[in-house]
Amino acid sequence: MVVVGNQWGDEGKGKVVDWLTDQAHGVVRFQGGHNAGHTLVINGQKTALQLIPSGIMRAGVACYIGNGVVVDPGHLATEIARLEAVGIEVRSRLRISESCPLVLPSHVALDVARELSRETRGQGKIGTTGKGIGPAYEDKVARRAVRAQDLKHPQRLHDKLRETLDLHNFMLREYLHAQPIEFTPTYERLLELAAGVVPLLADVGHLIHLGHERGERLLFEGAQGTLLDVDHGTYPFVTSSNCVAGNAAAGSGVGPGYLHYVLGITKAYTTRVGSGPFPSELPIDQPGTVGHHLHTVGQERGTVTGRPRRCGWIDTAALKRANIINSTSGQCITKLDVLDGLPEIRICVGYTLDGRDIDVLPLDADDIARCQPRYETVPGWSETTAGATRWAQLPQAARSYLERIAELSGTPIAMVSTGPDREHTIVLQHPFEG
Ligand code: IMP
């Protein structure tokens, strides 16, 4: 099964993956890096994961980082140490593909300097997480990445790092007017980190295949969201990987036949961090407005960067595109309880662009920016839905809202999340039985 974000990320995938992991043997990350941030609340305790699959929170579940993920070995060491400090066994359960490109300190420097340069040249920032993700993927595609497997061979690592750093430093110094990154401390730090990483390296695609042969249930955990996909998102305001469900296969080293069910995670409203068009956006600053309500009640602040998330109404024209690209089998609607108490709710059902009505998100970010949203207004509810565990517990207006989303976005609702805890979940169709 694949779990992907249906919007611009931060849909609450972490909680849902954690909940589903109860019935899974293994969890696989297949794209992105530590730009992702999953906040899990388990027994009232908050845990943030960025690189390691959420399945790590369940004893006995195998966790895989597939070849499609870019790995910052320094961050990996920190995240492992943080989990071990709270008594979670990581090393025996985590396996990392040898083919993962590494995120180096020079990628971070390039990411930060580029954003600054875009701003000074008046191009506008992408609003990246500043973790070096884009530059690391650039090196992968340019076939010069330092990969996880290179950590096993100090001389090869030395030579590849030298070549890569030479190029990065040229760009940093000459083009971006930023500080270069020194070779020797970078190399020595990588050698130090290699001791912790190398024992975790494996042929992840083959391990997943063997698990599949044994009849194991595997969960492919997407990061970011469909509208941040480098090909299908609001380019250039996107991340640098393919976040769509199809990439679960290529990014982990198995074929598409392994992906039998796609669960699209859809927040009951919309949020976005960073720049880029967002047709149903609302201002969040004014107390007493809906935007402010979504921002404060939903605690909409980036897990990784702490930036305030932009907020707006749900957009079923954008969801329709996401559901088509992902072949979504069922949707899980999250954070429904944040809408509690709103007298009425709006659904962006399409847009008007150049005098024409359209009902699916356009492909060109400039067109999206010019789209005027068209709304349908439905009644809200005054009762609380927080913590509901059964469909019948939901107010009629909430059920009608969910049914309307399913209808307009073209995909049934499989689950509803009504709060951050594992228990705050309504199941209409269990994805592992779908
Ligand atoms: P990058 O992935 O750091 O290059 O950032 C590119 C864009 O993706 C920016 O708009 C980020 O805010 C956004 N982004 C990256 N990771 C996440 C995520 O996990 N959740 C939401 N937005 C993200």
Side-chain angles (χ1 to χ4, degrees), residues 362-381:
L363 289 174
D364 184 322
D366 288 343
D367 286 343
I368 301 174
R370 292 187 302 112
C371 277
Q372 292 303 314
R374 286 188 289 114
Y375 288 110
E376 182 175 300
T377 303
V378 299
W381 52 91

Side-chain angles (χ1 to χ4, degrees), residues 8-11 13 32-38 111 115 126-135 137 223-225 228 236-241 271-276 302-305 307 309-310:
W8 280 289
D10 306 316
E11 297 91 351
K13 294 179 290 294
H34 65 306
N35 50 347
H38 294 318
D111 194 358
E115 283 283 83
I126 304 283
T128 73
T129 58
K131 304 288 181 194
I133 305 299
Y137 276 113
Q224 289 86 46
L228 286 171
F237 303 102
V238 291
T239 191
S240 298
S241 62
T271 61
R272 159 161 219 176
V273 203
S275 320
T303 317
V304 176
T305 57
R307 292 178 290 178
R309 292 181 188 140
R310 300 156 66 193

Side-chain angles (χ1 to χ4, degrees), residues 106 109-110 113-114 162-183:
S106 48
L110 284 168
R114 283 228 191 99
R162 171 76 76 194
E163 199 183 324
T164 307
L165 264 193
D166 276 354
L167 178 71
H168 290 176
N169 283 337
F170 177 78
M171 287 196 278
L172 283 167
R173 255 192 320 256
E174 306 300 325
Y175 185 66
L176 296 162
H177 312 294
Q179 286 297 315
I181 299 291
E182 281 182 60
F183 174 81

Side-chain angles (χ1 to χ4, degrees), residues 109-170:
L110 284 168
D111 194 358
V112 173
R114 283 228 191 99
E115 283 283 83
L116 215 74
S117 150
R118 281 182 70 97
E119 200 174 27
T120 21
R121 282 182 292 139
Q123 271 184 317
K125 287 183 173 187
I126 304 283
T128 73
T129 58
K131 304 288 181 194
I133 305 299
Y137 276 113
E138 282 171 39
D139 279 353
K140 162 179 167 163
V141 178
R143 294 167 292 195
R144 60 170 172 259
V146 178
R147 307 215 289 181
Q149 59 197 206
D150 299 325
L151 294 172
K152 295 195 290 190
H153 309 286
Q155 189 57 47
R156 189 162 101 188
L157 177 68
H158 178 280
D159 297 347
K160 287 186 77 172
L161 182 70
R162 171 76 76 194
E163 199 183 324
T164 307
L165 264 193
D166 276 354
L167 178 71
H168 290 176
N169 283 337
F170 177 78

